[in-house]
């Protein structure tokens, strides 16, 4: 009987966690901060992004200090994957795509890894807050 109660409690907690992750809306404005170190070369990203979420899809735009462009991606449970197609707006900016793969920590924070085709084989950490 104790085993059944423990299993029921675990199942209820798991369902509550899954519902919370799926119920969280990523729509809104987010500040992103991340760096990829590739030896002596590094790529940093610090855009402010505005997303709209429809089901498991997110779309919007990001503007950083040196680049701007559209962003789009997917949300599955508490996992988020999105791409920022940025165009340089200053001499320091980079025209490329940056990929973000993260986990929703709370309704106000996402953490994960970012990659860029300009630095193949390297990844860095990012934090996204609102």
């Amino acid at each position: 009987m104790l085993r059944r109660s423990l299993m029921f409690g675990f199942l209820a907690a798991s369902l509550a966690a899954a519902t919370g992750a799926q119920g969280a809306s990523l729509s809104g404005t987010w500040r992103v901060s991340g760096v990829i170190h590739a030896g002596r070369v590094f790529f940093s990203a610090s855009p402010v992004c505005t997303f709209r979420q429809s089901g498991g899809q997110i779309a919007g735009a990001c503007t950083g200090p040196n680049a701007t462009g559209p962003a789009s991606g997917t949300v599955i449970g508490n996992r988020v994957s999105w791409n920022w197609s940025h165009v340089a707006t200053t001499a320091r900016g980079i025209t490329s795509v940056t990929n973000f793969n993260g986990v929703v920590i709370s309704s106000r924070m996402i953490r994960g890894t970012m990659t860029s085709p300009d630095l193949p084989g390297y990844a860095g950490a990012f934090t996204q807050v609102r």
Side-chain angles (χ1 to χ4, degrees):
M1 186 65 142
L2 178 61
R3 186 178 201 163
R4 184 177 285 174
S5 295
L6 288 174
M7 286 187 80
F8 178 75
F10 176 74
L11 179 60
S14 297
L15 287 173
T19 301
Q22 291 172 350
S25 172
L26 301 184
S27 293
T29 301
W30 293 84
R31 293 188 181 282
V32 181
S33 178
V35 176
I36 300 172
H37 289 278
R40 294 170 57 148
V41 176
F42 75 95
F43 171 79
S44 67
S46 57
V48 174
C49 303
T50 302
F51 293 118
R52 295 171 315 284
Q53 182 176 348
S54 178
Q57 302 295 312
I58 56 173
C62 300
T63 301
N66 300 303
T68 189
S72 63
T74 58
V75 179
I76 300 172
N78 69 337
R79 302 259 178 214
V80 181
S81 294
W82 58 280
N83 303 314
W84 177 31
S85 299
H86 43 90
V87 175
T89 56
T90 69
R92 295 183 61 154
I94 297 172
T95 298
S96 186
V97 174
T98 303
N99 308 304
F100 298 85
N101 293 294
V103 174
V104 177
I105 304 299
S106 72
S107 64
R108 303 185 58 78
M109 180 182 287
I110 297 170
R111 285 194 176 148
T113 58
M114 57 186 262
T115 58
S116 172
D118 295 325
L119 299 171
Y122 291 93
F126 82 92
T127 300
Q128 182 173 328
V129 296
R130 60 172 159 181

